[in-house]
Amino acid sequence: MVFPIAGGTQDTSYEIENSLRFNDDDTAYLNRTRSSQSNTTGTFSVWTKMGNPDADNILFGGHTDVNNRSYIYFSDPTGYGGIFSRTSGSADINFATNALYRDPSAWYHVVVAIDTTQGTESNRFKMYVNGEQITSFSASSYPSQNASLPILNQAAQTVGGGYGSSAVSAMAEGYMADAHYIDGTQYAASDFGETNDNGVWIPKKFTGSFGTNGFKLEFKQTGTGTASASTIGADTSGNDNHLTSNNLAALDVTEDTPTNNFCTLSSVDNDGVVLSEGNCNFDTSSGNNEGVRGTIGVQNGKWYYECKITGSAGMSAGNIGYSRPEVPVTSGPASVLGLFANGSSTFGLYNNSSGKTSLDASAGIGQNDIIGVALDLDSSTKTIAYYRNGSIMGSAQTINASILGDFLLPVMLDDGGVNDVVGSFNFGNPTFSISSGNADANGYGNFEYAPPSGYYSLCTKNLAEFG
């Protein structure tokens, strides 16, 4: 069971409605050309949920070329957060945290605030994570007084990637929400967030000045390409400092936010499955006996999600369903409550290795088929039902008691067979096109097929009510 940084029933009047999903393999980022000025002071604030903690994840940068560039990262392949900058080929600021940030289930709030005019060097750079100022760094090189850093003074600025040796690279993999760039003022984390009555750091509305070149990204628009008020990178600060989107699509705007955290697949509870698109897409073609679990576990309630098979071979070896967190993810069908294929056309339920139940002997599951999974943990007889393209496969089946534990988490297990499984999980934040759009009864999520009556998407607002 995971406990998100934010999301649930906390008392807050400030709700974040959207986030932007970045997939590093797409070289996806936002950029703008700012009006030229030599600036010594600024603040960047963003909520982020990592997709791959083992890669570079750059949040914000500014540059002209390889010798004049700065970027804020969270995190690097080891898990550190920090900033790196050089001017005229010489490093002018470099910080890396001692703390490691590697939880792909949680939304983190990151604030970096710079004011090089300060006489005390420790006041020239401040970094906050979830409201707490970081004071322990493995690397700490403060800028000289009155230094003008590329992240604050260069015309080219990027969100979701930074300038490497010759181009924008080291792309973010995951999600960003409620991004602010403040031009000319050094703000604290408390200007963007607050602690609620439960001791959880949550977002709050920023009411300060954005300055000349500042912007706010709420990701309320879905247009792509050239910067405007109707595209993904629309600035809602009132400055109209819009950003251009690169290799991003309307589907990358999602409902997964710090105030309602959706389930994804876990890049750390994972044995060999290749993940992408904010940990929603999976590929088991690198071998056999690979498995990955989701980030939200449940012990009560009725839950629904979808899985689209995108591999051309369809599904003949996959198990899509739930498993207990204490059992190794690749321990085999005995630990999985999941859909199995017996040959190319007979599909059934694994309650464990001795509990196979035939569900459907008709045509197999092929490319572009969508499997719906409906789990009922509220009734006296715990059941699971599978749907293919909106039609139930057989009937709802009673769950074998040996599978039930304190919690069940979504799982994808490739236990060997003729075809590897490639696809996309939709917990309400789809990476594939939805033809009509169906939310659950609380209005959360976006599904191809309507969830069965009384079933809900796996997100923290629903979890707080039903889980």
Side-chain angles (χ1 to χ4, degrees):
M1 177 67 176
V2 298
F3 296 92
I5 294 298
T9 58
Q10 67 270 8
D11 182 18
T12 173
S13 59
Y14 187 61
E15 291 287 330
I16 298 177
E17 297 179 1
N18 297 100
S19 69
L20 185 60
R21 177 170 48 219
F22 293 84
N23 186 48
D24 62 354
D25 291 339
D26 296 336
T27 315
Y29 64 99
L30 301 166
N31 73 287
R32 69 179 294 262
T33 301
R34 55 175 275 160
S35 59
S36 178
Q37 73 182 95
S38 178
N39 204 347
T40 57
T41 309
T43 306
F44 182 71
S45 167
V46 70
W47 286 83
T48 184
K49 183 165 79 165
M50 289 177 288
N52 182 7
D54 293 324
D56 285 312
N57 288 280
I58 290 182
L59 303 178
F60 180 59
H63 69 274
T64 53
D65 54 40
V66 67
N67 291 315
N68 297 275
R69 58 192 174 101
S70 308
Y71 52 81
I72 298 165
Y73 58 91
F74 190 88
S75 60
D76 70 0
T78 309
Y80 305 114
I83 188 171
F84 174 80
S85 179
R86 65 174 58 183
T87 299
S88 299
S90 298
D92 44 22
I93 183 173
N94 182 26
F95 282 85
T97 63
N98 277 314
L100 302 180
Y101 305 99
R102 300 181 57 81
D103 186 352
S105 72
W107 280 93
Y108 293 92
H109 183 218
V110 181
V111 176
V112 169
I114 299 169
D115 182 358
T116 66
T117 69
Q118 295 287 329
T120 302
E121 68 173 13
S122 60
N123 290 330
R124 296 173 197 161
F125 169 80
K126 297 178 181 180
M127 183 175 184
Y128 305 81
V129 177
N130 297 332
E132 295 189 5
Q133 185 176 350
I134 305 302
T135 58
S136 177
F137 295 96
S138 60
S140 57
S141 176
Y142 287 94
S144 60
Q145 189 171 17
N146 298 316
S148 185
L149 308 176
I151 202 167
L152 303 177
N153 67 26
Q154 298 302 318
Q157 292 183 316
T158 52
V159 173
Y163 198 88
S165 59
S166 61
V168 178
S169 60
M171 321 310 297
E173 170 69 39
Y175 305 79
M176 293 190 205
D178 205 45
H180 299 69
Y181 170 59
I182 310 301
D183 180 23
T185 306
Q186 184 186 48
Y187 284 104
S190 57
D191 290 293
F192 307 94
E194 60 189 350
T195 301
N196 71 4
D197 292 341
N198 297 318
V200 177
W201 185 256
I202 61 174
K204 78 174 186 181
K205 184 176 178 62
F206 173 73
T207 58
S209 171
F210 283 87
T212 303
N213 280 292
F215 55 79
K216 179 179 181 178
L217 303 176
E218 296 182 272
F219 309 119
K220 291 187 174 182
Q221 305 297 326
T222 57
T224 59
T226 304
S228 76
S230 61
T231 57
I232 290 172
D235 169 26
T236 58
S237 72
N239 281 349
D240 290 332
N241 290 325
H242 309 301
L243 283 75
T244 294
S245 66
N246 300 269
N247 304 313
L248 289 157
L251 274 170
D252 294 319
V253 175
T254 86
E255 296 180 40
D256 190 344
T257 74
T259 54
N260 194 16
N261 189 2
F262 276 73
C263 185
T264 64
L265 299 175
S266 174
S267 51
V268 295
D269 193 1
N270 180 12
D271 192 345
V273 180
V274 177
L275 302 179
S276 59
E277 292 289 352
N279 289 348
C280 292
N281 289 4
F282 65 91
D283 185 340
T284 70
S285 60
S286 61
N288 289 326
N289 298 311
E290 302 163 298
V292 60
R293 272 194 286 255
T295 56
I296 291 182
V298 291
Q299 60 182 166
N300 302 296
K302 296 181 179 182
W303 308 100
Y304 177 80
Y305 69 84
E306 294 176 337
C307 180
K308 184 174 183 178
I309 304 302
T310 58
S312 59
M315 189 184 95
S316 68
N319 289 271
I320 298 168
Y322 285 87
S323 73
R324 300 194 310 272
E326 70 272 17
V327 179
V329 67
T330 56
S331 60
S335 67
V336 174
L337 173 67
L339 188 68
F340 76 95
N342 184 7
S344 61
S345 61
T346 301
F347 288 83
L349 179 71
Y350 260 123
N351 258 323
N352 58 32
S353 59
S354 62
K356 302 175 187 177
T357 303
S358 178
L359 294 179
D360 196 338
S362 59
I365 295 172
Q367 187 177 21
N368 297 321
D369 281 346
I370 295 175
I371 302 167
V373 183
L375 178 72
D376 179 1
L377 295 177
D378 274 353
S379 62
S380 57
T381 303
K382 310 294 191 284
T383 64
I384 191 167
Y386 286 91
Y387 296 77
R388 178 173 48 206
N389 301 328
S391 297
I392 193 167
M393 300 177 70
S395 60
Q397 298 292 308
T398 300
I399 300 172
N400 191 308
S402 66
I403 294 294
L404 293 170
D406 289 337
F407 295 100
L408 292 178
L409 293 101
V411 66
M412 170 67 216
L413 171 66
D414 173 14
D415 58 336
V418 177
N419 299 320
D420 293 297
V421 187
V422 181
S424 177
F425 276 73
N426 176 17
F427 296 105
N429 50 343
T431 64
F432 54 86
S433 296
I434 300 295
S435 61
S436 55
N438 295 279
D440 64 26
N442 278 344
Y444 304 136
N446 183 20
F447 299 100
E448 178 66 24
Y449 299 99
S453 178
Y455 287 75
Y456 294 89
S457 56
L458 282 161
C459 60
T460 51
K461 284 190 178 294
N462 285 335
L463 191 69
E465 184 175 358
F466 304 112

